[in-house]
Amino acid sequence: MNNLDKLCINTLRCLSIDMVQKANSGHPGLPLGAAPMAYTLWTRHLRHNPKNPHWFNRDRFVLSAGHGSALLYSLLHLTGYDLSLDDLRRFRQWGSRTPGHPEYGHTAGVETTTGPLGQGISTAVGMAMAEKHLAAVFNPPLGKEGLISPLDKGGGRRPGDLGGEFLSYRIYVLASDGDMMEGISSEASSLAGHLRLDNLIVLYDDNRISIEGRTDITFTEDVGKRFEAYGWHVQNIQDGQDIDAIDQAIQTAKKFKGAPHLIKIRTFIGEGSPHKRDTSAAHGSPLGEEEVRLTKQNLGWDPNKFFYIPEESKRVFSQAIVAGKKAEAEWNERLKKFKKTRPDLYKKWEAYTQKQLPKDWSEILPQFKAGEKIATRKASQKTLNALAPHIPFLIGGSADLSESNLTTLEGMGDLQPGHYDGRNLHFGVREHAMMAAVNGMALSQCLIPYGATFLIFTDYCKPALRLAALMGIQSIAVMTHDSIGLGEDGPTHQSVEQLSGLRAIPNLALIRPADAQETAEAWRAALENKTGPTVLALTRQTLPTLDRSIYPSAFQLHKGAYVMKDFGSSPSFLLIATGSEVSLALDAASILSEDGVSVRVVNMPSMELFEKQSQTYRDSVLPPSVQKRVAIEMASPMGWHKYIGSNGLMIGIEGFGASAPAEKLFEEFGFTPEKVVQKIKKWL
């Protein structure tokens, strides 16, 4: 390491500890220890353009160890992103662009929101899958459109290796011990190894310290051997200060084909701090003013200078602007050539990057016959396969449940090693990793990905769904077996609490369609929702397809709730239902009407879509003058009193369900027309 390298690394360190100290909050230890590897990557390998953070063919950098955000913000400022020194001074403050953990869409250059450990590296796996798929589609070798050459003995070529290909970028990750402990990382890394994602390079900051102390109190496995078992190419660097060794390891990883890469780098948390180096005290708390002074002195820095950037460091880091503009300009020339020589593929590229959806949905969405009995999961399958030929960037799969979720795209091939053009994804029994990977693919900005499982396993998916909602990205979750209607599998699989849990996530749209035709419209709504994730809750049991010559068009689903039918001229109460319970509500209302009771049946497939409508519309569906209200949903009552009031009747489930055939469960739990009528009459 020469003096200039040392100066630049210490610039990163001192900026980071100044940020944390001024905020009196944060994690100074990781930036001090990991600065050398970050400096090496960002100045010698990372292909990016600070003046255009969204340039498509850039490399992606994911700080999976999001608690070390001060390091990332220092890198972004120094290399020329739209992040000022004042922004650094306002670290972790209200309204700043430097929040406690990196947030996608909030800070230029942040590729994904990180903080919950394991999510970053798992999202990066999805990013790598997206690059492989896109390269297979748009870098067709030997003139064979949409195909990629099979793996050879050396592990196969990576798109871009032959030179002149249109699309080729890498995903780099900086991960911590905590990332390696989280179970989601194991799931995602196992999947990455199987898929041989050699465009993924992970720098593992092996500092062996966590908040509670040394990691050997809980974490004594050989991480390198574990990743080798996953099928990764693993390198070990014993000195985290040796930037030449780090540089060489990254070079080796870039050349090695056929496997993702883990570079295990032994560092010391709080490097340079005379009293807190290699201790948990450097992990989650500021060093303290006196320790900051001593650390700067130890690093050969002026202890009286704060947020100081030497001119020599500025010149080194600012080279990223020149290099980035050049790299993007070269790619733009390639783009022009691509447009001229492959107009067919270029038109397809435009469709992907603009996410061009069908202009006339009515010609594409399947139509279902009134009275036809069909499970909404089956209707979803028919809809997916009707849409897939018209939406080539629709891609997804299931966590080993495609035969139950019915999410296979027929004739679209499987995404597998050497055949990355396939659009069917097989995640295995890895629900945690599945939704994180779906987020990573969504962040490509030109794919609409979906993941599928049973609704009960939403618990495994919620951390990633929450991050998708926080980031405002378009990911889709297909959750089938949505109630006690799944029957014999019993309470372990009957998702009584999941609907209310999902509705509690801001910016997530939950849609529970009432029949087959609404299911088709639910898919349309999910594909048009570009500002957050959508969850489709679908049935295992068959439902009658409602006669839309009698009831309003299924297109009304897009309003979130609508009047199905008024039984009587002036309803004495409102009967609100979702999903499979809508037909039940209609049957119950018909019986009540015969007894002279007037009632309005309201179908509410999505509370979130309903809340986006005008107050005038919402009042027209749920008139404030009608205070008596009943809701029917085979799930927890939580959240329903917003619509039925404190005195309303909620016909739901307070327990966990039971194991029995569905019809028996409906009878025992009171979800038959007769039982519903009985409860309503008693309440009235």
Side-chain angles (χ1 to χ4, degrees):
M1 181 189 304
N2 62 38
N3 288 334
L4 184 56
D5 290 328
K6 185 177 180 181
L7 182 70
C8 291
I9 290 168
N10 287 338
T11 301
L12 286 172
R13 286 170 166 158
C14 292
L15 272 179
S16 298
I17 62 175
D18 281 346
M19 291 169 64
V20 173
Q21 191 58 45
K22 188 173 190 304
N24 196 28
S25 175
H27 301 72
L30 183 144
L32 286 169
M37 71 177 80
Y39 167 74
T40 305
L41 173 63
W42 278 64
T43 60
R44 301 187 185 183
H45 298 279
L46 191 69
R47 185 179 56 183
H48 62 120
N49 183 1
K51 298 306 178 185
N52 184 8
H54 303 294
W55 164 47
F56 195 88
N57 207 41
R58 70 193 182 279
D59 292 335
R60 274 68 165 169
F61 173 75
V62 174
L63 181 66
S64 193
H67 54 277
S69 59
L71 175 61
L72 177 56
Y73 299 145
S74 296
L75 287 162
L76 292 172
H77 170 71
L78 289 167
T79 54
Y81 284 82
D82 183 21
L83 198 67
S84 69
L85 201 57
D86 282 341
D87 290 321
L88 269 57
R89 291 190 180 100
R90 300 188 65 240
F91 179 56
R92 291 185 163 225
Q93 303 307 300
W94 175 265
S96 76
R97 292 194 288 176
T98 48
H101 293 83
E103 296 181 25
Y104 172 78
H106 186 77
T107 308
V110 173
E111 298 285 2
T112 182
T113 298
T114 56
L117 291 172
Q119 287 289 334
I121 186 173
S122 304
T123 301
V125 169
M127 291 178 173
M129 291 169 66
E131 191 276 345
K132 282 290 190 182
H133 177 72
L134 293 170
V137 172
F138 294 105
N139 295 347
L142 305 177
K144 296 180 180 179
E145 181 177 347
L147 300 176
I148 194 167
S149 59
L151 295 174
D152 58 27
K153 293 181 180 179
R157 74 170 181 88
R158 181 184 179 281
D161 291 340
L162 299 185
E165 269 104 341
F166 170 60
L167 192 66
S168 174
Y169 58 87
R170 290 183 173 86
I171 292 83
Y172 293 97
V173 180
L174 197 163
S176 65
D177 290 302
D179 288 295
M180 296 302 165
M181 294 184 207
E182 285 286 359
I184 187 174
S185 304
S186 298
E187 288 186 11
S189 298
S190 174
L191 179 62
H194 163 71
L195 292 174
R196 304 182 194 178
L197 301 178
D198 52 17
N199 54 350
L200 176 63
I201 299 176
V202 177
L203 307 182
Y204 168 26
D205 177 30
D206 177 26
N207 65 44
R208 305 179 191 178
I209 294 291
S210 63
I211 290 176
E212 293 184 358
R214 301 197 62 80
T215 56
D216 59 14
I217 62 174
T218 59
F219 191 55
T220 52
E221 67 194 47
D222 188 323
V223 174
K225 288 183 178 178
R226 171 157 64 99
F227 273 72
E228 286 177 353
Y230 291 149
W232 286 54
H233 172 235
V234 177
Q235 300 178 75
N236 288 282
I237 296 175
Q238 295 303 316
D239 181 5
Q241 308 299 306
D242 189 345
I243 63 173
D244 290 331
I246 295 169
D247 177 47
Q248 184 56 52
I250 297 173
Q251 290 282 12
T252 299
K254 288 162 70 173
K255 294 175 183 177
F256 189 95
K257 306 305 168 192
H261 312 278
L262 179 74
I263 304 175
K264 188 168 176 281
I265 306 172
R266 178 67 172 111
T267 64
F268 291 93
I269 196 169
E271 184 69 53
S273 172
H275 300 113
K276 297 188 177 183
R277 177 184 183 270
D278 199 28
T279 71
S280 60
H283 192 293
S285 301
L287 295 177
E289 291 183 3
E290 183 58 26
E291 190 69 12
V292 166
R293 291 180 59 84
L294 294 173
T295 300
K296 288 181 178 180
Q297 288 177 343
N298 206 24
L299 295 173
W301 210 258
D302 187 339
N304 296 312
K305 289 185 176 179
F306 301 93
F307 295 95
Y308 170 61
I309 304 173
E311 288 299 323
E312 299 93 325
S313 293
K314 286 183 182 179
R315 285 194 291 270
V316 171
F317 284 108
S318 65
Q319 290 173 12
I321 298 173
V322 177
K325 286 183 177 179
K326 180 180 179 183
E328 183 180 358
E330 290 173 351
W331 189 73
N332 286 336
E333 286 300 315
R334 191 178 301 177
L335 183 62
K336 291 179 182 178
K337 183 178 180 181
F338 182 67
K339 181 178 181 180
K340 182 177 180 180
T341 59
R342 295 302 305 268
D344 53 337
L345 274 182
Y346 183 80
K347 186 176 181 180
K348 192 173 185 178
W349 171 252
E350 285 188 315
Y352 273 61
T353 53
Q354 297 172 19
K355 290 187 182 178
Q356 293 175 0
L357 296 174
K359 293 182 179 179
D360 192 344
W361 290 95
S362 62
E363 294 183 1
I364 297 171
L365 290 177
Q367 299 298 311
F368 299 90
K369 294 180 180 179
E372 177 185 1
K373 287 195 171 183
I374 180 172
T376 54
R377 63 170 178 159
K378 183 67 175 179
S380 169
Q381 179 189 40
K382 290 187 175 182
T383 303
L384 261 177
N385 281 284
L387 291 168
H390 303 277
I391 308 176
F393 42 86
L394 180 63
I395 181 172
S398 170
D400 198 51
L401 287 171
S402 60
E403 297 302 310
S404 295
N405 301 142
L406 305 180
T407 48
T408 300
L409 301 178
E410 297 169 5
M412 298 300 175
D414 296 334
L415 190 150
Q416 287 290 303
H419 300 281
Y420 297 110
D421 58 315
R423 289 168 59 189
N424 287 299
L425 308 177
H426 298 279
F427 293 102
V429 188
R430 304 184 182 100
E431 293 92 346
H432 297 85
M434 174 180 70
M435 287 315 300
V438 165
N439 284 352
M441 287 182 279
L443 286 162
S444 72
Q445 296 299 310
C446 62
L447 295 176
I448 299 181
Y450 63 87
T453 185
F454 292 164
L455 183 61
I456 188 63
F457 300 135
T458 302
D459 278 334
Y460 297 159
C461 303
K462 275 179 187 169
L465 284 170
R466 184 180 187 277
L467 285 178
L470 179 59
M471 291 188 279
I473 59 174
Q474 185 177 24
S475 59
I476 300 172
V478 183
M479 303 299 190
T480 68
H481 298 58
D482 72 341
S483 73
I484 62 171
L486 65 88
E488 292 86 345
D489 275 340
T492 61
H493 283 53
Q494 290 165 2
S495 51
V496 295
E497 78 285 7
Q498 297 301 330
L499 297 176
S500 58
L502 287 165
R503 288 169 180 149
I505 300 175
N507 197 40
L508 179 146
L510 171 65
I511 304 177
R512 193 165 181 244
D515 69 351
Q517 209 59 56
E518 273 198 355
T519 303
E521 290 295 341
W523 265 107
R524 175 180 176 180
L527 292 166
E528 290 181 337
N529 179 18
K530 298 182 180 182
T531 59
T534 303
V535 177
L536 305 180
L538 308 174
T539 68
R540 176 183 185 268
Q541 74 272 25
T542 61
L543 302 178
T545 300
L546 300 171
D547 187 344
R548 297 295 170 169
S549 66
I550 299 174
Y551 303 112
S553 165
F555 181 76
Q556 296 299 309
L557 171 138
H558 297 273
K559 294 182 179 179
Y562 59 101
V563 178
M564 289 297 289
K565 186 176 180 180
D566 281 333
F567 291 80
S569 58
S570 180
S572 58
F573 73 97
L574 307 179
L575 181 52
I576 312 167
T578 75
S580 54
E581 290 79 87
V582 171
S583 56
L584 171 61
L586 290 168
D587 289 343
S590 180
I591 296 173
L592 287 165
S593 177
E594 291 174 0
D595 292 341
V597 179
S598 60
V599 56
R600 165 176 288 188
V601 175
V602 174
N603 177 359
M604 188 176 283
S606 176
M607 292 180 180
E608 295 76 26
L609 295 181
F610 184 58
E611 290 300 324
K612 291 183 178 180
Q613 308 308 311
S614 69
Q615 187 65 52
T616 301
Y617 175 77
R618 283 182 282 153
D619 287 346
S620 72
V621 176
L622 303 177
S625 59
V626 184
Q627 292 295 304
K628 290 185 177 181
R629 301 179 180 190
V630 180
I632 309 177
E633 189 169 66
M634 290 190 281
S636 166
M638 185 175 290
W640 270 104
H641 290 288
K642 176 177 182 179
Y643 297 106
I644 65 175
S646 59
N647 296 318
L649 173 63
M650 178 64 204
I651 302 175
I653 295 180
E654 297 285 356
F656 280 103
S659 178
E663 293 304 320
K664 179 63 174 176
L665 292 172
F666 297 154
E667 176 70 25
E668 292 294 331
F669 283 99
F671 291 98
T672 65
E674 295 75 18
K675 291 280 182 82
V676 168
V677 168
Q678 194 176 53
K679 290 181 180 180
I680 291 175
K681 283 187 173 181
K682 183 178 180 181
W683 171 72
L684 286 173

